[in-house]
Amino acid sequence: MIERINPGPRASQLVLVDGRIETSGIVALAPGDIAAQTRCVLAQLEQWLAQVDADKRHLTRVQIWLADMAEFAAMNAVYDAWVGDQPPARACVGAALASADYRIEIQAFGQR
């Protein structure tokens, strides 16, 4: 069974399939520097996971896109403080994002 959480016209925020969790890409709610946007995106991720009785300990993989790879260290400073002692697998690449205001986008996968 597939459960779609907060579906919109183009995508659902979360999809649950056989206990697997998949999120859409998450971007910051407001412009800001990479640290502020990273904190905003991770806070949203925590809220989304809470909707399905999960948290960051349930994550198995995180995909990160950065608009500017020169911000990699600053993003990692925030991410490393957030992730805890059971980090998921992770990839991070540079990419043109949908808006020039976006510095980061994160998609996450997990298991309940």
Side-chain angles (χ1 to χ4, degrees), residues 22 39 47 50 57 64-65 80 91:
E22 299 181 14
R39 282 190 295 274
Q47 292 168 357
R57 294 171 302 152
I64 301 171
W65 294 270
D80 292 347

Side-chain angles (χ1 to χ4, degrees), residues 6-13:
N6 297 327
R10 185 169 294 134
S12 297
Q13 279 185 345

Side-chain angles (χ1 to χ4, degrees), residues 4 12 25 34 55 74 78 96:
R4 299 174 201 290
S12 297
I34 190 63
D55 60 37
V78 175

Side-chain angles (χ1 to χ4, degrees), residues 32-48:
D33 66 17
I34 190 63
Q37 287 202 15
T38 302
R39 282 190 295 274
C40 179
V41 169
L42 294 172
Q44 289 179 80
L45 176 55
E46 286 187 23
Q47 292 168 357
W48 290 17

Side-chain angles (χ1 to χ4, degrees), residues 26-71:
I26 306 170
V27 295
L29 299 173
D33 66 17
I34 190 63
Q37 287 202 15
T38 302
R39 282 190 295 274
C40 179
V41 169
L42 294 172
Q44 289 179 80
L45 176 55
E46 286 187 23
Q47 292 168 357
W48 290 17
L49 291 170
Q51 293 178 69
V52 294
D53 298 319
D55 60 37
K56 62 187 170 185
R57 294 171 302 152
H58 293 93
L59 295 177
T60 58
R61 181 168 62 99
V62 171
Q63 171 66 54
I64 301 171
W65 294 270
L66 292 179
D68 184 351
M69 287 302 290
E71 297 179 323

